[in-house]
């Protein structure tokens, strides 16, 4: 690939991520009995990442979890179900129980990703 082709490909990938349809947030830390704060980050694109800060009292340790969707993978819903090489994506992945495990192990958790759809 030439440098120009590489730059064009990278620009197309970046544009695809920037304009990607955002998945709904189907779970939240309260489901696992966790207190949390909604957090927002500025961005140059005008689409600020959103997240949860799940504090662990007395801890100065932190885990940062960055996903496209902080709550999980929506592979059981369209259009995400049809992505990839197979249409057999019919499961949902919920990250919130994992955040509870990390919290209970003594970590503050910062989970963030793309904002919720409006």
């Amino acid at each position: 690939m030439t440098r120009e082709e590489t730059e064009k490909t990278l620009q197309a990938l970046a544009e695809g991520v920037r304009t990607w349809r955002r998945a709904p947030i189907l779970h939240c830390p309260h489901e696992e009995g966790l207190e949390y704060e909604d957090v927002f980050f500025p961005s140059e694109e005008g689409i600020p990442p959103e997240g949860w800060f799940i504090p662990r009292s007395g801890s100065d340790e932190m885990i940062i979890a960055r996903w496209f969707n902080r709550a999980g993978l929506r592979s059981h819903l369209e259009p995400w179900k049809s992505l990839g090489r197979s249409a057999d994506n019919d499961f949902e992945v919920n990250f919130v129980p994992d955040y509870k495990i990390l919290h209970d192990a003594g970590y503050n958790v910062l989970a963030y990703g793309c904002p919720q759809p409006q």
Side-chain angles (χ1 to χ4, degrees):
M1 243 182 184
T2 68
R3 181 179 178 95
E4 291 79 22
E5 290 171 327
T6 301
E7 287 178 9
K8 185 176 179 180
T9 300
L10 291 174
Q11 186 62 40
L13 287 171
E15 182 66 17
V17 170
R18 188 181 71 77
T19 59
W20 180 246
R21 182 175 173 193
R22 288 177 261 315
I25 304 295
L26 300 179
H27 299 283
C28 77
H30 277 309
E31 293 173 13
E32 293 291 331
L34 297 169
E35 295 298 321
Y36 70 99
E37 301 170 32
D38 290 313
V39 294
F40 306 89
F41 306 93
S43 73
E44 291 182 12
E45 299 83 21
I47 305 172
E50 298 176 357
W52 298 316
F53 175 65
I54 305 168
R56 175 64 182 193
S57 180
S59 176
D60 61 358
E61 303 290 328
M62 181 178 292
I63 298 288
I64 299 174
R66 198 295 188 204
W67 309 101
F68 285 105
N69 183 314
R70 65 189 176 269
L73 299 174
R74 308 291 153 242
S75 298
H76 64 300
L77 301 174
E78 291 294 349
W80 305 278
K81 183 176 182 175
S82 297
L83 290 177
R85 298 177 186 198
S86 170
D88 295 332
N89 295 330
D90 60 356
F91 59 91
E92 175 188 6
V93 178
N94 178 359
F95 296 144
V96 175
D98 297 318
Y99 300 151
K100 174 141 176 61
I101 291 169
L102 294 168
H103 176 268
D104 291 350
Y107 294 96
N108 294 288
V109 178
L110 176 61
Y112 73 99
C114 295
Q116 281 185 260
Q118 299 299 331

